[in-house]
Amino acid sequence: MAQTPSPDNLVQSIDYTPPRKNWLDNVPPEFRLGNFSYPAKAGELESFFGYEGAKEWSPMDEDWQLPENWQEIIYEGFRERLEKYRSLKVFMDICVRCGACADKCHYFIGSGDPKNMPVLRAELLRSIYRKDFTTVGKILGRLNGGRALTQDVLKEWFMYFYQCTECRRCSLFCPYGIDTAEITMMARELMNLLGIQTNWIMGPVTNCFNVGNHLGIPPHTFKDIVDFMVDDIEDITGKRIEVPLNKKGADILFVTPSGDYFADPGTYTFMGYLMLFHELGLDYTMSTYAAEGGNFGLFTSQEAMKRLNAKIYAEAERLGVNWILGGECGHMWRVLHQYMDTMNGPADFLSVPRNPITGTVFHNAKSTGMVHITEFTADLIKNNVLTLDPSRNDNKVVTYHDSCNPSRGMGLLEEPRYVLNNVCNQFFEMPEQTIREQTFCCGSGAGLNNDEFTEMRMRGGMPRANAVKHVHDKHGVNMLSCVCAIDRAALPPLMNYWVPGVDVTGVHELVANALVMRGEKERETDLRGEPLPGKED
């Protein structure tokens, strides 16, 4: 594994000088340790996709051991998708290469590589479309911006479409509304037809389908993890809570990403959910089968996304719940908000979600039957259901990172802020052009949160870190909150690298710290076991 350069050396290595050679000249990418993710294992491709003939390979190899008819496979797959997805053909045709998106990508900002400009990254695919799927391109070829599909082009695809986090920030600035994330998704689908996939994506996809979560945690281990958390909650609050699993006939199925119950700081967010539900006396259940809200199928193929989304609804129907409550996750919510209806929905066997505590009906979730946890908690706070003591978070100066998929992908902007302003006394926003719809990505989404890719993650996360540093220096911010499990995994190393002294939290960890539970003992610590303000001695 490559050694990640120091922050100073990384910044000094960024060069925005345009290369002398035309990108159409098929300059092969330079694969080196630190700028690519390890390939998927052949067995995982075979078990999930039924892909036969997958071989072990490395991007650094000269020969990728492609099938003899690999070009034909790509052409046929491309043709099929152009016919199936009208949006793809529109996105291939309407770009005028104005460059409005060029400097909006965090990976271009952090690398200086022009092929990480969204417009040029899309051209890597669009050039093949122009050459082989347009009449003018077939005649004029390169004069029309077309290129022949070679192995070097395929290597470019792997390099740069796996340096895109599908965050869609570029799309916000595109005058034509081209969704570059959709282009990345299609390019990855085409590569997937050849067995070209990454291990960090394919492993979770396979685990989720076979076992129920990305990490491959079996049901009895999941129960053990929950029991450990219940013990910790009792130590902190004096309250013993029960967590229902696989309970039939409950009102609500609660689904959250496995990152919330596997590793810190997500575990504290998960404890916050459990404490909140207990305090409400909520009639809910969790499932050991649908024990994963995240959907890495979004980074793999439409087929994988659909299959993984379906398991949540299959379990909701099997358990006979009325509606679904979803935890703090990123891509789960883009899949739910933008793809669920056409892939698996509408979920007409579920009721329109209704908060049993306040009576609020979430009409916005009618077709999916699924409500975001911050919508739910904001409604509780607005209706004065909870007893909160925000002074318990007074040792935290908080800012908020708008996770890309819930913010740009589903418009969840005000609810998390409303919750935070009711559970914290010290909350400061980052600069306006770096939050809400214009939020910068963590740099590790879309299946790029792996150790071998650390250098590129630090490059891609630099714009977000710069905004955090601004409020850290100006207001003393020491806590970065978010509503995404990938963020809770990716942002701590990013902060340690760029802004030491800033920690990362989920919103519902802060909710649980402030939550005054009926019959609780006098609390001495927060969920992390650290002294509450005034309890340091």
Side-chain angles (χ1 to χ4, degrees):
M1 190 174 297
Q3 181 70 33
T4 302
S6 69
D8 287 343
N9 288 339
L10 189 150
V11 170
Q12 291 171 8
S13 71
I14 300 172
D15 183 5
Y16 297 112
T17 304
R20 293 184 178 182
K21 204 165 186 181
N22 193 310
W23 72 273
L24 284 167
D25 291 334
N26 291 350
V27 181
E30 179 189 352
F31 289 99
R32 56 177 176 77
L33 293 178
N35 75 348
F36 67 88
S37 299
Y38 295 154
K41 298 176 181 177
E44 291 170 344
L45 288 165
E46 185 174 349
S47 67
F48 186 82
F49 288 108
Y51 184 86
E52 296 181 2
K55 300 176 182 178
E56 302 296 331
W57 60 283
S58 168
M60 299 178 72
D61 295 340
E62 182 67 26
D63 180 8
W64 282 17
Q65 304 183 57
L66 300 172
E68 289 186 7
N69 63 334
W70 71 270
Q71 291 165 312
E72 180 183 338
I73 293 172
I74 291 289
Y75 286 138
E76 186 56 37
F78 206 167
R79 183 178 295 106
E80 177 185 337
R81 283 156 182 77
L82 287 167
E83 293 174 355
K84 184 176 182 180
Y85 303 114
R86 181 175 179 271
S87 60
L88 177 61
K89 190 173 190 312
V90 170
F91 295 158
M92 291 292 99
D93 285 331
I94 66 173
C95 177
V96 295
R97 291 178 276 191
C98 67
C101 64
D103 61 344
K104 307 305 186 296
C105 176
H106 48 281
Y107 267 105
F108 171 66
I109 294 171
S111 70
D113 189 333
K115 290 179 183 177
N116 268 324
M117 293 179 179
V119 58
L120 189 44
R121 187 188 292 116
E123 285 292 305
L124 301 180
L125 185 65
R126 195 177 283 120
S127 61
I128 305 305
Y129 168 76
R130 288 200 182 103
K131 171 69 168 61
D132 295 297
F133 294 93
T134 68
T135 302
V136 174
K138 290 177 181 178
I139 297 172
L140 298 179
R142 180 177 170 128
L143 293 176
N144 189 51
R147 294 191 299 172
L149 180 58
T150 66
Q151 187 168 253
D152 282 344
V153 169
L154 190 65
K155 289 180 178 181
E156 282 184 322
W157 286 9
F158 183 80
M159 170 71 86
Y160 295 104
F161 287 115
Y162 283 100
Q163 287 184 16
C164 170
T165 56
E166 302 179 14
C167 80
R168 302 172 70 243
R169 189 173 193 266
C170 53
S171 304
L172 189 71
F173 295 91
C174 176
Y176 292 96
I178 296 172
D179 190 340
T180 309
E182 296 275 0
I183 296 174
T184 291
M185 290 161 64
M186 289 298 104
R188 290 187 179 188
E189 278 205 29
L190 293 176
M191 287 186 282
N192 197 65
L193 297 175
L194 303 177
I196 297 176
Q197 180 56 266
T198 68
N199 185 55
W200 192 253
I201 293 175
M202 201 62 232
V205 166
T206 305
N207 284 336
C208 191
F209 188 73
N210 292 337
V211 182
N213 57 75
H214 289 163
L215 304 164
I217 297 172
H220 62 278
T221 305
F222 176 70
K223 183 182 184 304
D224 288 343
I225 291 172
V226 172
D227 288 343
F228 285 133
M229 292 190 183
V230 167
D231 291 341
D232 288 344
I233 291 170
E234 185 174 19
D235 290 341
I236 295 167
T237 68
K239 299 279 290 183
R240 186 72 184 178
I241 69 176
E242 299 294 330
V243 181
L245 299 175
N246 302 325
K247 172 186 172 184
K248 289 192 174 183
D251 184 28
I252 299 166
L253 171 64
F254 178 65
V255 180
T256 199
S258 54
D260 278 354
Y261 52 81
F262 177 72
D264 300 343
T267 51
Y268 309 120
T269 299
F270 189 81
M271 291 165 66
Y273 304 145
L274 302 183
M275 291 167 62
L276 176 66
F277 299 159
H278 177 83
E279 180 65 10
L280 295 172
L282 199 66
D283 181 18
Y284 80 104
T285 186
M286 295 190 70
S287 164
T288 56
Y289 168 69
E292 180 62 70
N295 192 324
F296 271 37
L298 179 64
F299 318 138
T300 310
S301 70
Q302 301 287 323
E303 175 194 352
M305 190 196 327
K306 180 176 180 177
R307 288 166 71 180
L308 297 186
N309 183 67
K311 69 183 174 55
I312 296 175
Y313 287 89
E315 189 69 344
E317 189 166 20
R318 185 185 75 85
L319 294 175
V321 301
N322 291 319
W323 57 283
I324 307 170
L325 183 62
E328 296 181 13
C329 183
H331 38 84
M332 171 172 75
W333 287 105
R334 187 174 184 209
V335 172
L336 261 297
H337 188 72
Q338 298 191 338
Y339 300 109
M340 159 59 192
D341 273 354
T342 51
M343 288 192 309
N344 303 105
D348 50 13
F349 63 91
L350 295 173
S351 305
V352 179
R354 175 183 175 276
N355 190 328
I357 312 301
T358 66
T360 298
V361 178
F362 296 96
H363 294 287
N364 60 307
K366 179 179 179 180
S367 62
T368 63
M370 194 164 181
V371 172
H372 193 286
I373 186 71
T374 56
E375 296 177 277
F376 180 74
T377 302
D379 178 58
L380 296 171
I381 294 173
K382 182 179 180 180
N383 285 280
N384 298 312
V385 169
L386 305 177
T387 302
L388 300 170
D389 181 2
S391 70
R392 290 177 173 175
N393 287 315
D394 277 353
N395 56 353
K396 299 171 179 64
V397 186
V398 181
T399 192
Y400 179 67
H401 164 66
D402 288 274
S403 304
C404 300
N405 286 307
S407 59
R408 270 191 294 271
M410 66 177 293
L412 192 78
L413 304 172
E414 302 305 328
E415 292 87 345
R417 289 175 166 83
Y418 181 78
V419 172
L420 287 169
N421 278 303
N422 278 275
V423 300
C424 302
N425 288 321
Q426 302 182 85
F427 176 75
F428 297 95
E429 292 276 21
M430 287 180 275
E432 182 178 356
Q433 68 274 20
T434 71
I435 60 172
R436 298 179 183 270
E437 292 94 340
Q438 297 187 49
T439 185
F440 274 112
C441 180
C442 68
S444 299
L448 303 183
N449 185 27
N450 55 65
D451 290 341
E452 68 267 21
F453 201 62
T454 297
E455 178 186 331
M456 293 307 299
R457 289 167 50 200
M458 297 305 103
R459 290 181 181 277
M462 185 179 69
R464 167 46 73 222
N466 280 341
V468 176
K469 188 176 188 305
H470 173 78
V471 289
H472 171 67
D473 294 346
K474 184 175 182 179
H475 301 293
V477 163
N478 60 14
M479 188 63 78
L480 176 60
S481 61
C482 60
V483 289
C484 173
I486 292 291
D487 286 334
R488 284 190 287 278
L491 289 172
L494 187 72
M495 293 299 102
N496 288 337
Y497 185 82
W498 289 112
V499 201
V502 175
D503 213 334
V504 178
T505 180
V507 168
H508 278 77
E509 176 186 346
L510 300 178
V511 170
N513 285 340
L515 180 65
V516 180
M517 303 177 72
R518 290 184 294 270
E520 70 176 16
K521 71 178 185 181
E522 183 178 357
R523 286 207 219 171
E524 302 288 334
T525 71
D526 61 17
L527 296 191
R528 303 188 183 202
E530 299 171 354
L532 291 174
K535 301 290 186 180
E536 291 83 0
D537 295 333

